[in-house]
Every structure is written in C-alpha cells, then in structure tokens.
Amino acid sequence: MARLKVGVLISGRGSNMGALLEACANPAFPAEIVTVISNKADAAGLATAHAAGVPTAIVDHRNRSREDFEAELNAALKSAGVELICLAGFMRLLTAGFVTPWYGRLINIHPSLLPAFQGINVHARALAAGVRFTGCTVHFVRPEMDDGPIIIQAAVPVAPGDTPETLAARILVAEHRIYPQALRWIAEARVQIDGNIVHLAGARAVEEAVINPQ
Ligand code: GAR
C-alpha cells in the first residue's frame, strides 16, 4: 500500500520530527516524510533531517507579510507532494487562509493537556497552577492557536521539586511516543473527525484512573 506523504514543519531542535523520522524509517510504517521545512535557517532539526536523507527547505518568515510567507510554504508542501502536515515545534501561527484548505490534514503536538495551557511557557504555568498532571496532546489544527480535535494525549505526573526544565524533559519522552502513534492512526485511515471529536477505529481505551500522588 502507498505510504502517506508527510511534510514536517519545524522551527528549532526537531526532536519530535526525529521521533517521526525514526518511526518512518521502518518500511512497514504506513507514512513517509517527504520534506522537512523550517522557518529558521539555523534550526538544529534541519541537520537531523538531512542526515536521514530527507529533503529540507527553509521558508523564512521575516520581512514579508503572513500571506506571502504562507503562500510560499503552501507551494513548497504541494510541490513535495505532501498529503499530511505535521507541525513539530513550529513556532509560527498559521492563519485561516493557510489552515482551512488543509483542514483534517494538518496536525500539531503541544506540550500540555489541551485545552489547558495553550500558548507558550506551558511548563512554568502548569507548575504555578499546582496541577498534579500535565502532559501532551496531538490534535488537528484549527485557525485558533492550540485548538482543534484531539487525537491522542499522554498524561504526565508532576513530581515534587520539578522545574520547568525537568517537567519539559519528562513530557518530551511522552511526546515522542504519542506523535508517531497519531501519525500511524491517520495513515491507517482509522481517524475520523466528527465536529470537535475524533473517533479512532480499533483503539483500546484506558479504563483505570491514574492518581498522583499515591
Ligand atoms: C515540543 O515540546 C513541542 O510540543 C512544542 O515545542 C517543542 C519542540 O521541540 N510545541 C509547542 O509548544 C507548540 N505550541 P522539538 O523541536 O524538539 O520537537
């Protein structure tokens, strides 16, 4: 069966992109990454993609209108034959003009249990709020920031003495698990969007509460 053609958009380190690349390195995985595009020329993830033999491109957002930036991004994705876009630490807001035509084919990972802690500085804000769990979310993108139908989440416990950095590191491990899982489900056509709700064919639900602290 043909593999789903994925374009990954990054702005920096690219560790989630790395997790997706690793999953796609298995020929039996139902998706392949055909391009990695960064809005920043110095994004460390570009070297990782290059080393994996994936074509990369830079589409700089500076000194131009959002429309112009998004038009070039869209053209680059189209010319690479992209069928699904994965945002992986892509730190630019995309307007409705870009998002709407890709609706249902554009996903993002965010390091909180959405809809809690949208935006930036999420780990410091989670610690300040005193939550016992935070986590990460893979969701379909809508024009509103960090909003859209949720595909998968991982709940990650907050530990005594956590700093934003230690919490971020624990969540990142979970991010690297759930992003390839979400991509697999979409590529296997097991994901159906029904308004704000995602239905997953054949996925096992978790039945027990996880309690923190014990
Ligand atoms: C990840 O933690 C990702 O969830 C977050 O940026 C980091 C990128 O790391 N994304 C957002 O905050 C988007 N709102 P990475 O470049 O190593 O994947």
Side-chain angles (χ1 to χ4, degrees):
M1 211 177 81
R3 303 170 86 194
L4 184 71
K5 292 185 169 55
V6 174
V8 183
L9 303 189
I10 64 169
S11 296
R13 179 178 57 184
S15 73
N16 277 290
M17 175 212 68
L20 296 175
L21 274 173
E22 204 172 300
C24 293
N26 177 355
F29 194 81
E32 62 178 322
I33 297 176
V34 294
T35 186
V36 169
I37 303 175
S38 173
N39 64 309
K40 295 200 166 183
D42 62 355
L46 287 169
T48 314
H50 188 69
V54 174
T56 60
I58 294 156
V59 179
D60 199 325
H61 64 277
R62 292 170 303 177
N63 305 318
R64 63 202 298 193
S65 68
R66 273 190 195 273
E67 289 68 30
D68 202 40
F69 167 64
E70 291 180 352
E72 187 184 339
L73 204 53
N74 198 49
L77 290 159
K78 291 272 183 213
S79 76
V82 167
E83 298 167 304
L84 178 82
I85 304 171
C86 293
L87 304 183
F90 183 70
M91 302 311 264
R92 298 299 300 168
L93 282 178
L94 294 166
T95 68
F98 181 93
V99 171
T100 308
W102 286 98
Y103 184 76
R105 298 183 301 137
L106 169 58
I107 63 176
N108 179 46
I109 187 155
H110 181 77
S112 75
L113 289 174
L114 291 175
F117 306 117
Q118 295 161 323
I120 59 170
N121 298 328
V122 289
H123 307 305
R125 285 162 52 216
L127 290 175
V131 294
R132 295 299 192 181
F133 287 99
T134 176
C136 46
T137 304
V138 180
H139 63 98
F140 286 102
V141 174
R142 287 191 171 161
E144 299 76 31
M145 182 188 60
D146 299 325
D147 182 50
I150 291 169
I151 302 163
I152 185 170
Q153 294 185 305
V156 176
V158 176
D162 258 342
T163 63
E165 292 72 29
T166 59
L167 184 55
R170 193 176 311 115
I171 292 172
L172 195 64
V173 174
E175 293 186 46
H176 296 166
R177 284 179 62 189
I178 68 169
Y179 214 175
Q181 180 63 74
L183 175 56
R184 172 184 281 281
W185 281 334
I186 292 170
E188 289 175 344
R190 288 164 63 180
V191 173
Q192 196 200 326
I193 307 175
D194 178 7
N196 205 35
I197 303 298
V198 171
H199 298 291
L200 282 170
R204 245 178 333 110
V206 177
E207 284 172 13
E208 267 189 42
V210 185
I211 296 170
N212 180 41
Q214 298 229 295

